[in-house]
Amino acid sequence: MREKMNVLDEDALKKYKRAGKILAETRKEMRRFVKVGMPIIEVCEKAENLIKEKGAKPAFPCNVSINEIAAHYTSPPNDQKIIPENSIVKIDLGAHIDGYLTDTALTLCFNSEYRNLAKTAEEALKKAVETIHAGMYISKLGTIIEEVITSRGFKPVSNLTGHLIGRYQVHAGKSLPNISHFSLSKIKAGEIYAIEPFVTFPNAAGKVRNGKEANIFRFVKRKSIKHPLAKKLLGYIQQNFHTLPFAERWLRKFTANDGYKQAFRELLSSRSIMQYPVFVEVSGKPVAQAEHTVLILEDRCVVLT
Ligand code: MN
Ligand code: MN
C-alpha cells in the first residue's frame, strides 16, 4: 500500500496498525466478558492484561465509566465497586507499541432503554469515519456528527471531543468537537485522530463537569523532590509510562512501602504528576460513547481499531 504521508514513517505506521489490531481484538473480547455484578477492577485488569498478552502495552488505564459518568473512571487499588444492574457502561481502551497508540471505546447497555442512545453514538462515529479526509474543516466534521445525533432525537455532549494522537501523547493538541462550531483548522493527511462522539438524552444539559474522584494520573515534569521514595517513584513512572496516563494500581511494587502514600502525595503537590478527575454529565443523565482511531489519507481514512 503506497500512501502519501506527511509525518509518518513506515515503522511508525506498522506499530500504529499493530496496536490498533490488538485493541480491536481486545474490544471484541471485552464486549463478551463484562457482566452485571462483576467487580469493576476485574474489568480493568482483564482489558489491560489482554492488551499485554497480545504484545502491546496499555496506553492508559482501562476506563469503565457508568451511567452519568461519561469518562475517566478507572478502579483505584482495592476498588469494591461492581457493574450495577440496569446500567450503561462505557469501556474505553488504549494500546501502544513504542508510544504509537490507538484509542477505542464501546458502550454496553444492561438496560434496553439505553440501546438507541448507544446505537446513535455508533452511527455518528460511522458517519464521521465515512466522511473524514485530508483537507476537511474540523468544524464540518462537528456539524456532521451533531446532525446524526440530533436527527435521532438525542443530544451530543458539547465539551467532550475527539483528538489528534501523537507519539506518547493521547491528546496531541487538535480537538474534534462533536458539535457545530467555528474553526478554520483542517484535517491533514498522515494525521492520526481518535473520533469519539458522546451522546446523551435531549433533556440533559449535554455537558460534563469534573467529578470529585480522580484515579488516573500522568507524568508532567521532573521537579526537585525531597522524599527519596517519591523520587524513586517518579523515576519509575517516567520510565514505564512516559507521558501516558497511568493508574495507581500500576504502582504495585511501591504501595507496600512505608511512606508510599506520602510520596505519592508529594508528586501531586509538587505537580510532578497531574490527575484526571472523572467527567460527570451536569444534569446526571446517562451518556453513551463510541470511538475509533483513524489514519487520515488524501480522500478517506483508514480505521486502525
Ligand atoms: Mn478513548
Ligand atoms: Mn480518545
Side-chain angles (χ1 to χ4, degrees):
M1 188 163 50
R2 283 246 148 244
E3 287 146 2
K4 215 159 118 194
M5 217 59 67
N6 290 335
V7 289
L8 286 180
D9 61 43
E10 296 274 331
D11 177 63
L13 188 56
K14 228 165 75 189
K15 286 170 177 167
Y16 272 120
K17 284 183 174 169
R18 225 178 109 226
K21 189 168 175 281
I22 286 170
L23 206 57
E25 287 172 16
T26 303
R27 185 187 58 230
K28 251 191 204 158
E29 289 175 50
M30 291 308 289
R31 186 179 285 284
R32 286 199 310 268
F33 179 77
V34 182
K35 300 279 188 299
V36 167
M38 195 176 261
I40 294 176
I41 196 164
E42 196 180 318
V43 176
C44 294
E45 287 176 347
K46 175 72 178 184
E48 292 158 11
N49 287 335
L50 280 172
I51 290 165
K52 286 186 233 169
E53 281 164 23
K54 292 170 191 292
K57 286 178 180 168
F60 48 82
C62 170
N63 288 208
V64 180
S65 304
I66 295 168
N67 297 338
E68 74 278 11
I69 311 284
H72 290 179
Y73 184 87
T74 197
S75 282
N78 308 310
D79 193 7
Q80 299 298 307
K81 284 189 185 154
I82 59 158
I83 304 288
E85 275 178 38
N86 289 310
S87 54
I88 181 165
V89 180
K90 283 79 65 189
I91 311 276
D92 197 324
L93 305 162
H96 79 93
I97 294 168
D98 294 337
Y100 300 107
L101 72 98
T102 57
D103 183 358
T104 192
L106 75 152
T107 295
L108 296 166
C109 301
F110 297 109
N111 178 336
S112 57
E113 278 174 41
Y114 298 141
R115 213 158 284 154
N116 280 335
L117 190 68
K119 200 174 152 217
T120 298
E122 288 292 345
E123 285 171 353
L125 174 61
K126 184 167 179 276
K127 183 75 188 231
V129 163
E130 283 166 5
T131 35
I132 197 169
H133 61 271
M136 186 183 199
Y137 281 108
I138 284 176
S139 59
K140 167 97 180 170
L141 189 74
T143 303
I144 288 169
I145 291 171
E146 179 170 20
E147 217 275 314
V148 173
I149 295 169
T150 54
S151 72
R152 280 148 182 82
F154 294 106
K155 196 179 226 177
V157 176
S158 62
N159 59 346
L160 288 176
T161 68
H163 47 94
L164 184 67
I165 286 173
R167 192 175 183 196
Y168 289 113
Q169 280 183 300
V170 181
H171 290 255
K174 285 159 92 177
S175 294
L176 301 180
N178 295 309
I179 51 165
S180 187
H181 66 286
F182 180 78
S183 153
L184 292 176
S185 184
K186 283 181 179 175
I187 307 280
K188 291 183 190 141
E191 286 181 328
I192 308 265
Y193 282 98
I195 308 175
E196 49 182 320
F198 286 84
V199 181
T200 187
F201 286 99
N203 60 346
K207 269 198 288 197
V208 292
R209 60 171 173 82
N210 288 345
K212 285 197 191 94
E213 221 174 328
N215 303 324
I216 300 176
F217 306 90
R218 178 170 73 77
F219 174 84
V220 181
K221 217 173 175 183
R222 268 210 97 78
K223 299 271 178 79
S224 65
I225 303 282
K226 281 177 242 136
H227 200 300
L229 184 61
K231 210 172 177 173
K232 221 172 131 189
L233 193 52
L234 187 61
Y236 180 85
I237 288 166
Q238 193 181 9
Q239 198 181 352
N240 286 276
F241 318 130
H242 303 261
T243 44
L244 292 172
F246 65 91
E248 222 183 323
R249 293 181 281 106
W250 296 359
L251 304 175
R252 213 153 265 153
K253 58 183 286 195
F254 291 93
T255 48
N257 280 286
D258 286 337
Y260 160 77
K261 281 205 151 60
Q262 200 197 330
F264 196 78
R265 273 197 302 271
E266 190 184 341
L267 295 187
L268 278 169
S269 63
S270 64
R271 303 197 179 176
S272 311
I273 63 172
M274 60 163 287
Q275 54 188 346
Y276 293 92
V278 295
F279 286 138
V280 190
E281 207 286 321
V282 166
S283 51
K285 295 289 193 293
V287 175
Q289 173 200 17
E291 181 175 23
H292 272 310
T293 299
V294 303
L295 163 67
I296 306 299
L297 304 182
E298 291 298 337
D299 58 342
R300 65 192 168 93
C301 78
V302 175
V303 177
L304 297 172
T305 46

